[in-house]
Amino acid sequence: MDNNIKNVVSQWSDVISNRIDASKIFLYVALSVLGVLIAVMSLMSRSLGGAVTLCCFAVGATIIGLGLWLVTNHSRVLCYTPTGSRIRHNKRYVNRNEWSKVASEFGLEPSLPFVGNGELMLDTLTSDDGKFNVYMVSQFVEFEYKVIFGPTKK
């Protein structure tokens, strides 16, 4: 999650929770265990040649690392607390010329305080049941996206 989304989540902390997804944890831990098994089996096998043993060990170590990285970085999900529904984050890039069309699509203000000519980025946090929607519009200014509108409840 980038800093802008973390700020939005902190503003809505009374209705948004950051929960651990047990199904993902189980899958990622199983992937790590598979990596350990491959690495140990490659080291204990006497029938494999030296290069094959080394390659199998490297694959096992890579799978272990991937599983641990996934557990630490991708095992949490945002949830809308009143309904328990998962919140998804979507990012959409929009040209300024197309903004009025996109604004009407999302029910946002067509006239925003634009700064310069930079591209716009629309971040949305939407619950699966549709009861929670937060929009944030950022504009590319001076080599980074700066928030020019949002967050608002729909």
Side-chain angles (χ1 to χ4, degrees):
M1 238 186 318
D2 65 358
N3 287 333
N4 289 336
I5 298 303
K6 285 181 184 177
N7 290 337
V8 170
V9 170
S10 68
Q11 290 175 14
W12 294 86
S13 62
D14 56 332
V15 294
I16 294 178
S17 62
N18 195 357
R19 296 185 183 164
I20 294 175
D21 188 356
S23 63
K24 286 184 177 181
I25 292 273
F26 178 76
L27 180 66
Y28 300 152
V29 168
L31 185 66
S32 295
V33 169
L34 177 67
V36 168
L37 288 174
I38 291 172
V40 169
M41 295 284 283
S42 69
L43 291 176
M44 296 182 75
S45 175
R46 295 177 186 246
S47 62
L48 296 176
V52 175
T53 300
L54 186 60
C55 287
C56 287
F57 180 77
V59 167
T62 303
I63 292 174
I64 293 169
L66 177 66
L68 293 176
W69 178 77
L70 287 169
V71 164
T72 57
N73 293 319
H74 294 284
S75 58
R76 295 190 149 298
V77 294
L78 295 174
C79 290
Y80 181 51
T81 308
T83 62
S85 179
R86 182 177 177 190
I87 295 176
R88 298 183 191 277
H89 172 238
N90 293 316
K91 192 174 286 216
R92 182 175 176 184
Y93 296 93
V94 180
N95 288 330
R96 281 188 53 189
N97 301 338
E98 301 171 357
W99 174 246
S100 59
K101 178 183 171 186
V102 173
S104 65
E105 180 182 325
F106 283 97
L108 299 172
E109 292 203 18
S111 60
L112 290 177
F114 294 119
V115 181
N117 297 335
E119 186 177 52
L120 301 174
M121 178 175 64
L122 175 65
D123 286 300
T124 60
L125 292 173
T126 307
S127 65
D128 287 342
D129 61 3
K131 296 192 181 205
F132 180 81
N133 294 311
V134 174
Y135 305 101
M136 183 172 56
V137 181
S138 304
Q139 186 174 11
F140 192 75
V141 180
E142 298 175 4
F143 305 108
E144 67 179 345
Y145 281 94
K146 294 184 180 178
V147 178
I148 60 173
F149 178 78
T152 60
K153 283 186 182 180
K154 184 177 178 188

